[in-house]
């Protein structure tokens, strides 16, 4: 895709600090470095996001992530790792080429903040929703 920044990186038109590359996948350091070692893993074939990918393409992408994540953790000395994928603007996607963030974690006070709010479970409503999803 001509106007996609990640496609331009893949094509070598824009420089990137590459940490892994093969025929299908490219991983490079995010220029924002939310945490030290923040890496993006992208398929070389353009997909808008994970929702557009087929099983084979997703399998190619996710098959490489554990090894790349371990290498990032080893190189940076991180204590943990958030592996994040955002799909569509409402979910925080800002570049519309499938990518997975590998965000090394060092302390609870580093620059990445994720908050989940727990709610009292409504088991009948959950069962109804599960059935609706399974039939969709």
């Amino acid at each position: 895709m001509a106007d996609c920044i990640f496609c331009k990186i893949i094509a070598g038109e824009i420089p990137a600090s590459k940490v892994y590359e093969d025929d299908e996948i490219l991983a490079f350091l995010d220029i924002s470095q939310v945490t030290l070692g923040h890496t993006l893993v992208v398929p070389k074939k353009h997909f808008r996001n994970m929702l557009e990918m087929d099983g084979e393409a997703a399998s190619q992408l996710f098959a490489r992530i554990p090894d790349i994540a371990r290498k990032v953790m080893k190189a940076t000395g991180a204590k943990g790792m958030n592996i994040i994928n955002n799909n569509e603007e409402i979910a925080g996607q800002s570049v519309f080429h499938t990518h997975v963030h590998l965000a090394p974690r060092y302390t609870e006070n580093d620059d990445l903040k994720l908050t989940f709010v727990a709610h009292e479970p409504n088991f009948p409503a959950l069962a109804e929703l599960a059935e609706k999803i399974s039939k969709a």
Side-chain angles (χ1 to χ4, degrees), residues 80-121:
M81 172 82 61
N82 284 100
I83 299 175
I84 305 165
N85 172 252
N86 304 319
N87 293 274
E88 298 300 339
E89 190 173 352
I90 189 69
Q93 185 178 7
S94 59
V95 176
F96 292 91
H97 181 119
T98 301
H99 58 287
V100 176
H101 296 261
L102 306 180
R105 301 306 300 265
Y106 303 95
T107 72
E108 293 176 3
N109 297 319
D110 59 25
D111 289 337
L112 180 61
K113 306 295 181 224
L114 299 173
T115 304
F116 293 93
V117 178
H119 299 277
E120 270 307 307

Side-chain angles (χ1 to χ4, degrees), residues 3 20 24 44 47 50 76 97 100 105 109 115 135:
D3 60 343
Y20 175 87
E24 304 294 326
K44 287 187 172 179
F47 296 94
M50 190 71 57
T76 62
H97 181 119
V100 176
R105 301 306 300 265
N109 297 319
T115 304
K135 290 181 178 179

Side-chain angles (χ1 to χ4, degrees), residues 27-102:
F28 54 94
L29 296 176
D30 189 309
I31 60 172
S32 72
Q33 289 296 287
V34 171
T35 61
L36 181 68
H38 179 186
T39 300
L40 301 176
V41 185
V42 304
K44 287 187 172 179
K45 181 178 177 186
H46 183 88
F47 296 94
R48 178 180 173 86
N49 56 40
M50 190 71 57
L51 303 174
E52 193 176 272
M53 297 179 83
D54 61 25
E56 178 63 26
S59 176
Q60 294 281 334
L61 175 63
F62 279 95
R64 277 98 166 157
I65 287 176
D67 186 51
I68 298 167
R70 283 189 295 269
K71 288 178 180 184
V72 171
M73 285 186 65
K74 182 178 180 181
T76 62
K79 296 177 182 176
M81 172 82 61
N82 284 100
I83 299 175
I84 305 165
N85 172 252
N86 304 319
N87 293 274
E88 298 300 339
E89 190 173 352
I90 189 69
Q93 185 178 7
S94 59
V95 176
F96 292 91
H97 181 119
T98 301
H99 58 287
V100 176
H101 296 261
L102 306 180

